[in-house]
Amino acid sequence: MLCEKCKKKKAVIYYTENLYGELRSFNLCTECADSMRMSGELEEFSAAISGLSSEVTEIPRALPSGLSSLSIPKYSPVRSDSGIKCPGCGIGLSEISESRLVGCVRCYGVFADELSAAVDIMNFSSLGAARKYSGDPPRSHRVKLEMLDKISKLRGELTEAVNSENYELCATLRDRIRDMEKAFAIK
Amino acid sequence: MAWYNIPGNEQDVVISTRYRLSRNIAEFPFPTRLDAASAKEIINRIGGVLEANGFNKTDFSEISHANAYSLAEKMYITPDFIRESLPHALYLNEPCNLSAMLCRREHIQLQCILPGFDLKDASSAVQKIEELLDSKFNFAYDERFGYLTSDPAYLGSGAEISVLLFLPALRRACFILPLSEKLSKCGMCLKSFFSESTESNIYILTNKITDVPQAKLVEYFSRTVREIIDSERAQRREIVGEEYERIADAATRAEGVLRYANLLSYSDFLKYSAEVRLGISLGMITDVKTELLTALLIESLPATLCASGDGATSKNRSSISVEKERASYVKERLTA
Ligand SMILES: [Zn+2]
Ligand SMILES: [Zn+2]
């Protein structure tokens, strides 16, 4: 293994920010490490982070353990970037492939095919055969579902009221639906 | 007291348990596409709720370099969080071992870290805070993908479990590789924790699957950890006769190094403390406690060492002075 700074001498793994595996080994020869320490670029504990040299700051962004090997092939832009950008955040597929980070909630709609393929391989496997999230939803979502359910019931009642020409009931139902939709929009 | 100073369950095999949940607020883009003003708004809104619940804010512009990295060494944050360019903040509730990184890769990464094996407590502590936030904010969520995250690796429940395991006997028996292959088929990942020092015999087990309810994941993960604990202990019982004598000798020699060395690099500390740790669990060493070794695992990391000692901020510390300081700190803790 060669020193990542001079790329000539044999490196010892100098210091590793190895906290839950999130930043990994850092290979320097003792001379490079010493000269960097002299110039203040390297502190023992922050070698990986505060080093000013570009070689030193280029630490690969680590994926959660074990996921990196699986996710790389799916993320590499095999198919050419269609040029489509997410209207929510302006990110394109090639940027997502590069950073391995999605820009916003709407990206998941725009790039659904590409992302769902990656997700199937990565985290939606063995345990959940459904290939669909089967975990707990947030409270807001449960409330939303209940609300939507109530609104659709009221709509049914409204149709009946219209058919039976019960205009007084129609007016009340319309008000209730409008109130609920308003509350929903605010939320 | 911080988590690493407290004796943990099954601490002869398990060093720590961490449970982390990633959440995002639906109305804002993820941190990769977020502007500074929105990041501040998120921090203020979430942070306000956290502060009302025993969390304290840490502003990285106000603390020393050593103190910032020390927080990473104590596993409250990830090291990359410190140099995040977007406004970001740590909220820490140290008595409860809870911490929240706001505006790292996700808007919210909430975690609990406990000594030993304690997945139930760690997960429920995190879920309690998560439920509180859930009642006040609109989390990004989708029926197909679950909780939406910037890093698709967390999609689904957003739950990330990691457990640090001390597996010297399984390693001696060459069982680590088959074990990690088996675990990877079960949606888990076992890796050496200190990649430069396999002699530490410390491994990290994490989950890869995120599409199931958290309770089910916790149960499944716990069962697996129990199995690993059992097989490690079974292998330790196999150490007898000549082999036992050799290991006992190595353990007492290692204790000698920790007690009397004048210079101690961190990788040396890892190597010798691993031998002592095994020696304690086999009954060869009785005057050192396992929890002390766990405390030293954190406290003798360079930033924490510097932050606690004097001259904390001196920039050009040579590695020899750090090794000297580590040796004397370890010596002091062992004799206390
Ligand atoms: Zn070099
Ligand atoms: Zn987007």
Side-chain angles (χ1 to χ4, degrees):
Chain A
M1 177 174 49
L2 288 176
C3 166
E4 57 186 84
K5 186 133 198 267
C6 64
K7 300 202 164 61
K8 281 180 198 140
K9 297 218 178 71
K10 196 166 170 280
V12 287
I13 296 173
Y14 188 68
Y15 184 70
T16 306
E17 291 280 344
N18 223 321
L19 299 155
Y20 278 100
E22 262 156 304
L23 284 180
R24 294 207 185 84
S25 52
F26 192 72
N27 314 315
L28 292 170
C29 72
T30 43
E31 269 142 76
C32 286
D34 275 344
S35 76
M36 283 174 69
R37 206 183 296 112
M38 295 296 272
S39 65
E41 286 175 288
L42 179 74
E43 284 167 83
E44 193 190 12
F45 56 85
S46 57
I49 286 103
S50 71
L52 299 171
S53 139
S54 63
E55 282 119 306
V56 174
T57 45
E58 277 308 307
I59 306 283
R61 199 183 68 71
L63 282 169
S65 316
L67 290 175
S68 40
S69 58
L70 288 169
S71 55
I72 290 163
K74 270 295 164 185
Y75 277 147
S76 55
V78 183
R79 66 168 87 187
S80 58
D81 190 346
S82 54
I84 294 172
K85 304 274 184 214
C86 168
C89 66
I91 207 169
L93 196 57
S94 57
E95 284 165 277
I96 294 179
S97 306
E98 207 175 290
S99 67
R100 296 198 206 157
L101 292 174
V102 171
C104 76
V105 169
R106 291 175 72 184
C107 290
Y108 281 103
V110 179
F111 308 113
D113 290 349
E114 290 84 353
L115 288 169
S116 65
V119 169
D120 277 345
I121 288 187
M122 285 157 54
N123 23 352
F124 281 26
S125 47
S126 339
L127 270 184
R131 305 229 144 199
K132 181 175 182 297
Y133 179 61
S134 57
D136 351 63
R139 177 198 298 233
S140 56
H141 190 75
R142 292 196 297 269
V143 172
K144 188 168 128 185
L145 288 180
E146 281 162 24
M147 189 90 104
L148 286 173
D149 197 46
K150 266 187 207 151
I151 292 176
S152 83
K153 269 194 195 123
L154 287 177
R155 285 235 170 79
E157 283 175 40
L158 179 63
T159 319
E160 263 174 49
V162 171
N163 290 343
S164 58
E165 296 181 13
N166 184 345
Y167 297 114
E168 209 176 309
L169 184 60
C170 278
T172 354
L173 286 171
R174 270 203 200 95
D175 285 348
R176 280 178 63 192
I177 291 171
R178 203 178 47 227
D179 287 349
M180 287 184 81
E181 283 175 339
K182 220 191 248 167
F184 188 60
I186 287 163
K187 173 75 194 168
Chain B
M1 233 184 335
W3 68 269
Y4 49 85
N5 274 307
I6 307 165
N9 303 325
E10 329 291 357
Q11 61 176 358
D12 57 323
V13 182
V14 187
I15 291 169
S16 65
T17 306
R18 190 191 70 182
Y19 194 83
R20 187 190 277 167
L21 276 181
S22 292
R23 292 289 182 264
N24 288 283
I25 314 262
E27 296 84 23
F28 293 94
F30 299 137
T32 31
R33 311 294 281 189
L34 198 64
D35 57 84
S38 308
K40 278 188 187 142
E41 191 185 336
I42 292 174
I43 292 168
N44 288 338
R45 283 169 62 184
I46 308 275
V49 177
L50 293 174
E51 271 171 343
N53 286 278
F55 287 74
N56 292 306
K57 184 179 181 179
T58 299
D59 189 332
F60 289 100
S61 60
E62 284 169 10
I63 62 173
S64 75
H65 213 60
N67 280 319
Y69 284 97
S70 174
L71 288 167
E73 290 174 350
K74 292 170 182 170
M75 300 176 188
Y76 293 131
I77 57 170
T78 54
D80 62 331
F81 185 58
I82 298 165
R83 51 173 179 169
E84 190 68 62
S85 54
L86 204 67
H88 59 289
L90 162 71
Y91 284 82
L92 181 63
N93 182 340
E94 204 164 24
C96 301
N97 302 303
L98 285 161
S99 59
M101 288 184 279
L102 301 189
C103 292
R104 186 182 162 239
R105 243 166 266 161
E106 315 296 339
H107 294 152
I108 310 163
Q109 286 184 302
L110 192 65
Q111 71 158 54
C112 179
I113 180 159
L114 295 175
F117 185 52
D118 206 348
L119 195 47
K120 274 227 165 73
D121 283 358
S123 59
S124 65
V126 170
Q127 284 157 4
K128 241 173 84 185
I129 303 293
E130 191 256 356
E131 272 165 34
L132 183 77
L133 294 173
D134 185 13
S135 67
K136 295 181 193 296
F137 301 97
N138 197 4
F139 287 147
Y141 177 80
D142 174 90
E143 286 186 357
R144 157 86 176 82
F145 292 116
Y147 287 93
L148 297 177
T149 50
S150 179
D151 189 336
Y154 303 125
L155 270 182
S157 62
E160 202 193 330
I161 301 173
S162 34
V163 169
L164 288 194
L165 298 159
F166 177 60
L167 306 174
L170 286 175
R171 179 162 175 244
R172 279 183 82 83
C174 298
F175 282 170
I176 298 293
L177 192 64
L179 179 66
S180 72
E181 279 168 1
K182 195 179 144 202
L183 287 166
S184 113
K185 279 182 201 129
C186 306
M188 291 183 196
C189 176
L190 182 75
K191 286 207 306 202
S192 180
F193 183 54
F194 297 97
S195 54
E196 82 280 21
S197 168
T198 47
E199 283 166 323
S200 71
N201 287 320
I202 297 176
Y203 295 86
I204 178 168
L205 181 70
T206 49
N207 64 304
K208 288 194 285 186
I209 289 161
T210 57
D211 62 336
V212 292
Q214 292 180 53
K216 199 171 157 192
L217 178 67
V218 165
E219 190 206 309
Y220 182 71
F221 203 96
S222 299
R223 219 175 338 153
T224 311
V225 172
R226 294 262 162 233
E227 276 173 37
I228 297 175
I229 293 173
D230 289 346
S231 53
E232 168 66 23
R233 284 181 183 153
Q235 281 304 317
R236 287 185 197 175
R237 284 192 295 271
E238 301 277 305
I239 299 174
V240 288
E242 216 172 277
E243 202 191 5
Y244 184 90
E245 271 174 62
R246 292 217 176 276
I247 288 179
D249 181 57
T252 44
R253 277 166 189 257
E255 188 191 348
V257 170
L258 295 185
R259 280 189 192 277
Y260 297 108
N262 286 318
L263 294 177
L264 195 61
S265 68
Y266 192 67
S267 60
D268 272 351
F269 168 78
L270 285 177
K271 175 179 188 287
Y272 295 116
S273 70
E275 282 168 0
V276 174
R277 198 182 272 270
L278 179 60
I280 298 169
S281 94
L282 295 177
M284 301 154 178
I285 289 177
T286 49
D287 53 350
V288 180
K289 288 203 152 55
T290 304
E291 58 262 34
L292 178 60
L293 295 178
T294 301
L296 289 174
L297 197 66
I298 304 297
E299 289 170 354
S300 69
L301 277 162
T304 306
L305 198 65
C306 293
S308 64
D310 34 290
T313 48
S314 66
K315 271 227 153 190
N316 294 310
R317 297 175 60 94
S318 61
S319 70
I320 204 159
S321 78
V322 176
E323 286 179 26
K324 214 177 264 176
E325 199 166 322
R326 179 177 296 114
S328 78
Y329 185 74
V330 168
K331 198 181 295 185
E332 183 195 313
R333 290 293 306 261
L334 283 172
T335 23

